[in-house]
Amino acid sequence: MQVLKTPESAFDKIPDFPYVPRYVAVTDTISSEITMAYYQCGPADGHTILLMHGEPTWAYLYRKMMPILAKAGFNVVVPDLIGFGRSDKPMRKEDYTYARHVIWLKEWFTQVVKGPTTLFCQDWGGLLGLRLVADMPERFTGVMVSNTGLPTGDHPASDAFIKWRRFSQDTPVFPTSAIIQNATVSDLHHTTLAAYDAPFPDESYKAGARMFPLLVPTSPDNPEAQANRLAWEKLKQFNKPFITAFGDSDPITKGGEKIFQKLVQGCDGMAHTTVKSGGHFIQEDQGEKLAELLIQFIQQTHQSTN
């Protein structure tokens, strides 16, 4: 497997993400090892909050939330998924599968994250992070989901998603920052747009970004459809605090919060929120609000901060 590594110089001009990357080697399922980057802030002995990004973003998406959570005393851990940010980027689209992403993430999590953990996830951060919760429920004390899901292909995908998937494959240039701008309510500064483009010096680095839309189970016979059905059976039994905070302006995941609220035990009695002026990349539009909601969620459900 041929792997690209984004030069560190590509990140030199990002003014608002001061976090020093850390690296872990995870075992690849076919060849040898592949390197995954992550960032940590806040007291290491605080209660751990795991922030999971989706596609085509990277940990930078959480720059508004990280300092607020750290100041509140939490150990904040944010990985770059394989193919994104500072993590290794396999060159062939065929190198990316849903199952491999789960394996990579699980090994990273096992090596890096210790103690009770609260998960916050959005977009593919949910498709992967919720598989962790299903497989290792004892490791998680609570979950907040936003603009995400765990599709099984048993129900038709939204028109918005079908259009997005077609665009991701047909466009000759995958316009990373423009995709993010088009899925936010707020106007992003040019330095922010540049930060989202930074991990991808040219099109050869974008195999993972292009592949993710194809990996979403949209038919019952998708290779990971059954794995997600099994994960749902486990999530239904997850009786620890589980809360939704979806944006009001995301056509791709609109209504997805109701599925969690109906099926997951831990959603019962929670103060679920619809976040106003929140697009698909809700962390850009309402990052500070999400951080506050997450802190309240942990405090009100008496999750340990030690």
Side-chain angles (χ1 to χ4, degrees):
M1 184 169 64
Q2 290 181 294
V3 171
L4 293 172
K5 297 178 183 290
T6 303
E8 186 56 32
S9 59
F11 301 93
D12 285 348
K13 296 182 179 179
I14 299 177
D16 51 352
F17 194 74
Y19 308 104
V20 177
R22 306 179 183 192
Y23 297 94
V24 165
V26 297
T27 302
D28 178 60
T29 55
I30 294 177
S31 56
S32 54
E33 291 185 329
I34 193 166
T35 300
M36 195 163 172
Y38 71 100
Y39 313 84
Q40 187 277 336
C41 64
D45 61 349
H47 176 74
T48 299
I49 295 177
L50 171 61
L51 305 176
M52 291 289 305
H53 76 85
E55 191 259 346
T57 60
W58 57 291
Y60 178 80
L61 180 66
Y62 284 104
R63 72 194 181 284
K64 297 179 181 180
M65 297 175 65
M66 292 169 71
I68 297 173
L69 299 173
K71 186 177 180 180
F74 296 100
N75 172 39
V76 185
V77 183
V78 194
D80 285 336
L81 295 175
I82 295 294
F84 299 86
R86 286 181 167 95
S87 290
D88 282 356
K89 299 171 182 67
M91 292 182 65
R92 300 186 314 143
K93 290 199 292 185
E94 295 80 7
D95 290 328
Y96 296 90
T97 69
Y98 195 154
R100 291 180 88 181
H101 270 292
V102 172
I103 291 169
W104 288 328
L105 179 63
K106 184 181 290 187
E107 181 163 343
W108 170 85
F109 180 81
T110 301
Q111 290 188 57
V112 172
V113 181
K114 310 300 179 185
T117 302
T118 296
L119 171 68
F120 177 94
C121 56
Q122 175 262 345
D123 191 81
W124 262 96
L127 274 74
L128 295 171
L130 293 173
R131 290 282 293 271
L132 284 188
V133 177
D135 287 348
M136 298 182 284
E138 72 282 355
R139 295 293 311 277
F140 293 90
T141 56
V143 177
M144 177 180 281
V145 294
S146 181
N147 297 354
T148 191
L150 193 63
T152 61
D154 296 319
H155 303 283
S158 67
D159 289 341
F161 177 78
I162 297 300
K163 290 178 181 178
W164 152 240
R165 186 176 63 180
R166 185 180 304 120
F167 170 82
S168 72
Q169 304 308 302
D170 292 346
T171 182
V173 176
F174 193 84
T176 308
S177 60
I179 290 168
I180 296 164
Q181 175 63 90
N182 290 337
T184 57
V185 173
S186 52
D187 290 327
L188 304 183
H189 192 269
H190 68 87
T191 58
T192 299
L193 297 174
Y196 282 119
D197 287 327
F200 309 110
D202 62 50
E203 292 302 300
S204 66
Y205 288 78
K206 300 177 182 178
R210 283 188 183 270
M211 194 62 187
F212 253 158
L214 295 182
L215 300 182
V216 177
T218 57
S219 63
D221 58 351
N222 180 281
E224 288 301 295
Q226 181 60 18
N228 278 3
R229 291 186 196 101
L230 295 174
W232 268 114
E233 292 306 310
K234 296 176 182 177
L235 289 174
K236 290 176 183 179
Q237 305 304 315
F238 188 82
N239 59 5
K240 301 171 193 174
F242 195 114
I243 197 168
T244 62
F246 277 51
D248 65 354
S249 303
D250 180 19
I252 292 178
T253 63
K254 184 176 182 180
E257 68 274 26
K258 296 177 182 177
I259 299 172
F260 290 108
Q261 294 168 16
K262 178 181 178 181
L263 297 179
V264 181
Q265 276 189 39
C267 283
D268 294 346
M270 292 289 109
H272 303 289
T273 304
T274 299
V275 181
K276 294 182 179 180
S277 299
H280 182 66
F281 295 105
I282 191 170
Q283 302 93 323
E284 280 292 344
D285 293 323
Q286 297 294 337
E288 295 87 352
K289 177 65 174 178
L290 287 174
E292 294 170 4
L293 289 172
L294 187 52
I295 292 169
Q296 292 174 11
F297 168 61
I298 294 173
Q299 292 176 341
Q300 292 174 0
T301 55
H302 306 290
Q303 296 180 53
S304 171
T305 55
N306 296 313

